[in-house]
């Protein structure tokens, strides 16, 4: 192409365009149109924010150019079937151009639907604020609010591409310069480096994070040296130089794709033309450099566009109105007309209803039939059942992945994954000591349709620094309006045991049971452990598996169909599992339903609801109570979130009394939730309830003899049942001729609905 003589000095012209023959005039024109659409979208929204008709918006004016250039580069390099973009909230320019090249013309219309919280928003159903992009059809992975988590997702998604067999995969993760101070940055760098994955981390740098400048907000002094420290290739470009961005992004993408290795690309010197968001002074920075103006002039100089087509700054210097201070060429006018049209279309579309936002909390559980009991004890230990279930899952689904600390060669500190690495070396991998990385990569891996990620946190206590990920996991289905599920089965050894003290003996129910959308199981028997894991792998959503540390090596519950009956065979099987790391072959079609409690013992006097290790304590106490004439109905929830409320209520309506027993402290516990729900559902029925948990010590001290005094025990369960039984229920409300009540403190008090409560140290002084 012959280049006209420049008529105006530009910071970045297109005189080198002949070096890039693939950048045809048609593509350059399309790129400029997409930049204009992105800009007009922002500026029309800015006007509405100024009027107060839009409450909140967030934007990336000044970043349209580098985004479009990178999209063009990626389109030349990547295999769309082996590609993903984990975007930043300022990535609209990149995603719009990429989507257009993929044949998706309605990006800006759908973005406006999200901005205006319309139910027609295909990404979130109008449930989330603007810039939560999400369209796996066109390689856009779901964007979250919390900064930096896109990097961990990118690492996991890239691992999924590799597991699918792609040797040409690439995942782009985009972060802002402020995000580089987040711990997610180090986690993502660590994961991509250790797994050596084709992840291109793009740092978009406008030298400010809301209001914080690099001297206060950036500890990385050199992105080049930082990249080298992790074995990343390094690329950089000026974000205002269209050809520089295109050439650099193409080179970086080619490196990652061909080498199947990570790279960092620093896109520097970006302008931030509308401040951070509508929460600040979002007046357009007319005195700042605007690359969109220069690029339009460069296209005119290159003979690609005519002067009357481009957007230009005019001579007006007063006022804050973006549209008044620019002259609108025909392309810019067409872009603005389209954006105004999207606003008009959206104005007629419905907003989400109250009823609609109560849907998509979790996917339906698999419909499974539970096998009838064998009525003989099992020879399979809990960790043997775990090994067998994981082996079956890994074998049945090549897109399943076990990842965690020491889960590979060692077989896990609880020996629950022993033998799996040798059988599935490509699907079982040891992870660094970085719990957010373990769970973040699991999330990204599970974004692949049909994939199952099975991360393990070595001790549940150390999962507390993954709370961001757990909240995102639980909310992913809801915030995508049911369009995105992630099957992550997070295994967590829980509960106090053998002097573990704080951070080795904590209970997690009180922390995690309140997270919407999460399903939590707490199996007590080997059958339940195996069957619930198998069901969890067939359920599309996230499941937390609370594995009681005290039960791993125990053989608990009823036998599986087909277990040996010969005593010598039983003894040999137990030894091989316990000492030889044997993985038993259990029935492949055996399942236990999620969300359904198990009736361990029928009774008529009192209902005891429990789960996990406490089931053993309760069972021991119940046998003693039976000999004393107290007929206890014992329910093992198995799934504690969402728990089987129908089974609980049916039992309590029969007995009139409820004792919930769990390892956790009582304050703010799941037991309190069950107790409260029963009281509300049975208002006026005079039910007597109590919750029993560990004593209200802030933590469990290391001396075992003190631990045993603090935690739940059969003796404490026995005493608690007798306490609840000692209070007589009130007569029916209709009985106006009730006899006079005995004095306060008498065991024969006719009680109104009662909650027996031992306050925690957290709630009293």
């Amino acid at each position: 192409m012959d280049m006209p003589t420049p008529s105006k000095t530009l910071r970045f012209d297109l005189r080198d365009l002949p070096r890039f023959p693939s950048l045809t005039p048609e593509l350059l024109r399309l790129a400029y149109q997409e930049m204009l659409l992105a800009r007009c979208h922002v500026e029309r929204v800015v006007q509405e924010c100024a009027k107060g008709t839009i409450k909140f918006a967030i934007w990336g004016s000044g970043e349209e150019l580098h985004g479009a250039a990178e999209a063009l580069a990626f389109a030349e390099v990547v295999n769309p079937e082996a590609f993903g973009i984990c975007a930043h909230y300022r990535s609209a320019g990149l995603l719009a151009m990429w989507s257009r090249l993929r044949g998706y013309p309605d990006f800006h219309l759908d973005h406006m639907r999200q901005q205006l919280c319309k139910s027609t928003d295909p990404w979130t159903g109008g449930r989330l604020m603007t810039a939560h992009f999400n369209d796996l059809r066109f390689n856009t992975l779901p964007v979250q609010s919390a900064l930096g988590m896109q990097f961990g997702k990118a690492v996991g998604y890239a691992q999924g591409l590799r597991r699918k067999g792609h040797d040409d995969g690439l995942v782009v993760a985009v972060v802002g310069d402020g995000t580089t101070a987040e711990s997610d940055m180090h986690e993502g760098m660590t994961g991509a480096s250790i797994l050596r994955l084709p992840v291109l981390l793009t740092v978009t740098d406008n030298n400010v994070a809301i209001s914080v400048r690099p001297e206060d907000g950036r500890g990385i002094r050199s992105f080049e040296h930082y990249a080298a420290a992790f074995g990343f290739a390094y690329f950089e470009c000026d974000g205002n130089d269209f050809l520089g961005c295109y050439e650099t992004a193409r080179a970086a993408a080619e490196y990652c794709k061909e080498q199947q290795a990570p790279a960092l690309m620093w896109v520097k010197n970006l302008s931030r033309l509308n401040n951070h968001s509508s929460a600040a002074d979002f007046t357009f920075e007319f005195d700042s450099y605007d690359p969109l103006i220069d690029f339009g002039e460069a296209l005119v100089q290159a003979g690609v566009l005519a002067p009357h087509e481009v957007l230009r700054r005019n001579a007006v210097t007063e006022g804050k109105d973006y549209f008044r201070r620019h002259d609108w060429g025909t392309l810019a006018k067409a872009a603005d007309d389209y954006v105004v049209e999207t606003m008009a279309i959206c104005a007629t579309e419905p907003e989400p209803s109250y009823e609609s936002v109560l849907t998509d909390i979790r996917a339906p559980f698999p419909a499974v039939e539970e096998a009838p009991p064998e009525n003989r004890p099992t020879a399979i230990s809990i960790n043997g059942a775990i090994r067998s279930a994981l082996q079956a899952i890994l074998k049945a689904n090549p897109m399943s992945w076990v990842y965690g600390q020491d889960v590979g060669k060692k077989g896990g500190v609880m020996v629950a994954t022993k033998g799996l690495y040798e059988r599935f070396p490509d699907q079982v991998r040891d992870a660094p000591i970085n719990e957010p990385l373990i769970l973040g990569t699991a999330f990204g891996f599970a974004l692949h349709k049909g994939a199952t990620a099975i991360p393990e946190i070595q001790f549940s206590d150390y999962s507390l620094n993954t709370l961001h990920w757990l909240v995102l996991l639980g909310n992913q289905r809801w915030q995508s309006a049911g369009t995105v599920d992630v099957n992550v089965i997070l295994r967590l050894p829980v509960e106090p045991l053998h002097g573990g003290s704080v951070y080795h003996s904590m209970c997690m129910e009180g922390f995690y049971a309140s997270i919407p959308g999460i399903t939590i199981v707490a199996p007590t028997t080997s059958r339940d452990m195996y069957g619930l894991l198998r069901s969890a792998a067939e359920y599309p959503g996230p499941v937390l598996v609370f594995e009681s540390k005290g039960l791993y090596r125990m053989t608990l519950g009823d036998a599986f169909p087909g277990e040996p009956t010969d005593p010598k065979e039983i003894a040999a099987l137990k030894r091989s599992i316990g000492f030889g790391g044997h993985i038993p072959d259990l029935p492949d079609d055996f399942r236990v339903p999620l969300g359904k409690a198990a009736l361990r013992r029928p009774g008529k006097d009192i209902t005891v609801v429990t789960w996990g290790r406490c089931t053993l304590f309760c069972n021991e106490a119940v046998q003693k109570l039976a000999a004393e004439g107290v007929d206890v109905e014992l329910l093992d929830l198995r799934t504690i979130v969402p728990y089987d409320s129908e089974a609980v209520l049916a039992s309590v309506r029969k007995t009139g009394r409820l004792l919930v027993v769990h390892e956790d402290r009582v304050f703010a516990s799941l037991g309190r939730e069950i107790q409260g729900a029963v009281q509300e559902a049975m208002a006026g029925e005079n039910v007597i309830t109590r919750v029993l948990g560990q004593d209200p010590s802030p933590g469990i001290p290391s001396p075992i003899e003190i631990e045993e005094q603090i935690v739940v025990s059969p003796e404490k369960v026995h005493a608690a049942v007798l306490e609840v039984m000692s209070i007589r229920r009130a007569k029916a409300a209709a009985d106006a001729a009730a006899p006079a009540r005995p004095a306060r403190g008498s065991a024969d008090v006719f009680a109104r609905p009662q909650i027996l409560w031992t306050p925690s140290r957290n709630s009293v002084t």
Side-chain angles (χ1 to χ4, degrees):
M1 177 187 304
D2 293 331
M3 300 295 295
T5 302
S7 57
K8 176 184 176 183
T9 301
L10 303 174
R11 186 177 297 187
F12 299 102
D13 57 38
L14 297 174
R15 68 180 69 227
D16 288 337
L17 194 55
R19 292 201 297 114
F20 308 105
S22 60
L23 293 178
T24 63
E26 292 75 21
L27 272 181
L28 292 169
R29 185 183 188 90
L30 181 65
Y32 182 62
Q33 289 173 314
E34 279 299 325
M35 295 178 207
L36 290 170
L37 286 166
R39 176 64 61 82
C40 290
H41 175 101
V42 166
E43 298 309 327
R44 285 297 174 187
V45 169
V46 165
Q47 283 194 340
E48 298 306 310
C49 287
K51 297 174 187 175
T53 55
I54 289 179
K55 303 301 183 214
F56 180 79
I58 198 163
W59 30 61
S61 295
E63 299 200 31
E64 304 90 350
L65 181 140
H66 82 84
E70 289 159 22
L72 288 170
F74 299 149
E76 291 186 22
V77 174
V78 307
N79 170 9
E81 301 303 314
F83 182 56
I85 303 175
C86 287
H88 188 254
Y89 63 82
R90 300 198 307 258
S91 298
L94 165 63
L95 296 176
M97 186 68 201
W98 171 259
S99 299
R100 179 78 67 179
L101 294 169
R102 287 294 318 276
Y104 171 33
D106 292 328
F107 178 91
H108 297 287
L109 174 59
D110 289 338
H111 191 189
M112 189 63 73
R113 285 169 166 148
Q114 186 176 79
Q115 174 67 74
L116 300 179
C117 299
K118 299 297 181 176
S119 62
T120 49
D121 159 24
W123 304 332
T124 69
R127 298 174 179 185
L128 299 189
M129 65 176 67
T130 184
H132 283 74
F133 314 109
N134 165 35
D135 201 324
L136 290 170
R137 298 172 306 163
F138 301 109
N139 311 101
T140 300
L141 279 62
V143 172
Q144 77 295 320
S145 288
L147 296 178
M149 297 173 78
Q150 59 267 41
F151 199 179
K153 276 191 282 189
V155 172
Y157 197 76
Q159 175 70 14
L161 292 176
R162 178 168 291 170
R163 184 66 204 142
K164 282 183 172 180
H166 291 291
D167 59 5
D168 60 348
L170 170 63
V171 183
V172 175
V174 185
V175 302
D177 53 297
T179 304
T180 63
E182 291 273 8
S183 61
D184 301 85
M185 181 79 169
H186 182 81
E187 291 150 13
M189 296 291 287
T190 298
S193 174
I194 289 174
L195 297 171
R196 193 162 175 79
L197 292 168
V199 177
L200 174 58
L201 175 64
T202 303
V203 179
T204 56
D205 187 359
N206 58 20
N207 283 301
V208 61
I210 302 183
S211 65
V212 178
R213 295 290 174 181
E215 57 268 23
D216 291 321
R218 184 186 305 170
I220 301 173
R221 304 305 181 192
S222 166
F223 286 115
E224 182 175 7
H225 292 156
Y226 183 73
F230 286 90
F232 277 49
Y234 176 74
F235 301 85
E236 71 174 69
C237 59
D238 191 304
N240 302 307
D241 179 358
F242 179 84
L243 293 181
C245 289
Y246 164 81
E247 183 176 26
T248 304
R250 189 176 67 178
E254 286 174 343
Y255 171 85
C256 293
K257 177 184 172 183
E258 293 171 4
Q259 300 299 318
Q260 288 296 284
L264 186 153
M265 181 171 70
W266 181 29
V267 183
K268 58 186 180 181
N269 296 333
L270 293 171
S271 298
R272 189 176 72 167
L273 300 176
N274 278 107
N275 213 312
H276 178 73
S277 72
S278 58
D281 179 5
F282 47 81
T283 303
F284 191 85
E285 300 286 345
F286 291 103
D287 294 332
S288 297
Y289 174 73
D290 186 350
L292 187 55
I293 300 296
D294 265 18
F295 185 63
E297 296 296 339
L299 290 172
V300 171
Q301 292 180 7
V304 173
L305 297 179
H308 69 275
E309 293 181 297
V310 301
L311 178 71
R312 286 177 163 153
R313 189 76 55 82
N314 60 30
V316 177
T317 58
E318 299 297 326
K320 301 178 179 180
D321 187 335
Y322 177 86
F323 296 91
R324 182 170 169 269
R325 294 183 63 169
H326 287 83
D327 291 332
W328 293 82
T330 54
L331 290 180
K333 181 65 166 60
D336 186 49
D337 287 346
Y338 175 77
V339 169
V340 171
E341 182 185 2
T342 67
M343 298 177 76
I345 292 171
C346 293
T348 66
E349 294 179 338
E351 295 179 355
S353 65
Y354 173 82
E355 292 75 19
S356 73
V357 300
L358 301 180
T359 63
D360 304 313
I361 296 170
R362 55 170 56 85
F365 290 146
V368 302
E369 291 293 329
E370 192 165 359
E374 298 287 307
N375 295 315
R376 57 193 178 92
T378 185
I380 308 298
S381 65
I382 294 287
N383 55 16
I386 294 171
R387 287 179 218 149
S388 183
L390 295 182
Q391 175 177 257
I393 294 167
L394 291 164
K395 183 178 179 181
N397 183 7
M399 278 300 291
S400 54
W401 184 37
V402 173
Y403 193 46
Q405 296 165 29
D406 300 308
V407 299
K409 300 177 181 67
K410 183 177 176 63
V413 295
M414 307 297 175
V415 204
T417 56
K418 190 172 181 61
L420 295 174
Y421 173 76
E422 290 76 13
R423 291 167 172 79
F424 306 96
D426 295 329
Q427 293 174 263
V428 179
R429 176 91 185 220
D430 286 322
I433 303 174
N434 190 312
E435 293 81 12
L437 170 65
I438 293 170
L439 195 49
T441 53
F443 188 107
F445 185 90
L447 284 171
H448 290 281
K449 190 173 181 59
T452 294
I454 314 174
E456 177 187 319
I457 305 298
Q458 199 166 85
F459 291 93
S460 63
D461 318 55
Y462 294 110
S463 68
L464 289 169
N465 62 356
T466 71
L467 184 58
H468 256 332
W469 287 108
L470 291 170
V471 171
L472 190 61
L473 277 169
N475 279 280
Q476 183 56 65
R477 179 179 176 85
W478 180 84
Q479 70 182 29
S480 67
T483 63
V484 178
D485 281 307
V486 278
N487 183 211
V488 174
I489 304 173
L490 174 60
R491 296 181 42 249
L492 294 168
V494 299
E495 299 177 348
L497 184 70
H498 300 327
S501 191
V502 177
Y503 274 102
H504 285 86
S505 286
M506 295 166 67
C507 296
M508 293 292 112
E509 297 107 272
F511 293 110
Y512 297 157
S514 63
I515 299 174
I518 290 282
T519 295
I520 305 176
V521 300
T524 304
T525 70
S526 298
R527 280 170 63 115
D528 289 345
M529 181 64 78
Y530 177 84
L532 287 168
L533 280 171
R534 296 299 306 273
S535 295
E538 294 168 357
Y539 168 64
V543 178
L544 273 57
V545 184
F546 286 176
E547 300 174 0
S548 179
K549 296 193 290 288
L551 305 183
Y552 274 115
R553 291 170 174 81
M554 299 178 72
T555 55
L556 296 171
D558 195 57
F560 289 88
E563 278 193 49
T565 56
D566 179 76
K568 290 184 178 179
E569 292 182 20
I570 292 172
L573 180 58
K574 286 184 176 181
R575 283 195 304 272
S576 65
I577 295 172
F579 300 103
H582 173 64
I583 303 178
D585 289 320
L586 300 177
D588 193 55
D589 61 350
F590 188 92
R591 302 289 186 276
V592 169
L594 296 165
K596 186 172 177 58
L599 178 62
R600 300 300 183 197
R601 184 188 188 279
K604 60 180 173 50
D605 292 335
I606 183 173
T607 300
V608 174
V609 172
T610 190
W611 57 88
R613 186 174 69 149
C614 282
T615 307
L616 274 66
F617 304 151
C618 291
N619 189 58
E620 183 178 334
V622 163
Q623 293 181 44
K624 182 179 179 182
L625 288 159
E628 297 170 353
V630 181
D631 193 14
V632 178
E633 180 146 296
L634 181 59
L635 276 178
D636 179 358
L637 290 184
R638 304 191 291 188
T639 299
I640 62 175
V641 178
Y643 70 92
D644 190 347
S645 59
E646 291 183 4
V648 172
L649 286 170
S651 178
V652 179
R653 286 197 170 106
K654 179 173 63 173
T655 67
R657 291 176 170 85
L658 168 68
L659 173 66
V660 184
V661 182
H662 56 55
E663 294 268 23
D664 202 1
R665 285 171 289 188
V666 173
F667 177 76
S669 67
L670 181 58
R672 274 281 187 257
E673 170 63 25
I674 296 171
Q675 181 186 45
V678 167
Q679 291 285 356
E680 288 184 1
M682 298 181 65
E685 297 184 49
N686 303 315
V687 61
I688 314 300
T689 68
R690 183 184 167 183
V691 180
L692 175 66
Q694 64 179 246
D695 292 351
S697 169
I700 295 179
S702 190
I704 294 177
E705 62 274 13
I706 302 179
E707 174 187 295
E708 291 174 349
Q709 295 176 56
I710 289 174
V711 301
V712 174
S713 66
E715 294 75 21
K716 289 183 178 180
V717 176
H718 180 271
V721 169
L722 292 180
E723 181 182 10
V724 176
M725 290 298 300
S726 71
I727 300 175
R728 291 185 61 190
R729 298 177 66 203
K731 290 187 175 182
D735 187 359
R741 296 175 183 169
R744 181 182 296 273
S746 167
D748 287 330
V749 152
F750 286 85
R752 290 300 176 190
Q754 292 193 40
I755 299 176
L756 306 182
W757 182 36
T758 302
S760 166
R761 290 180 185 273
N762 291 333
S763 61
V764 297
T765 56

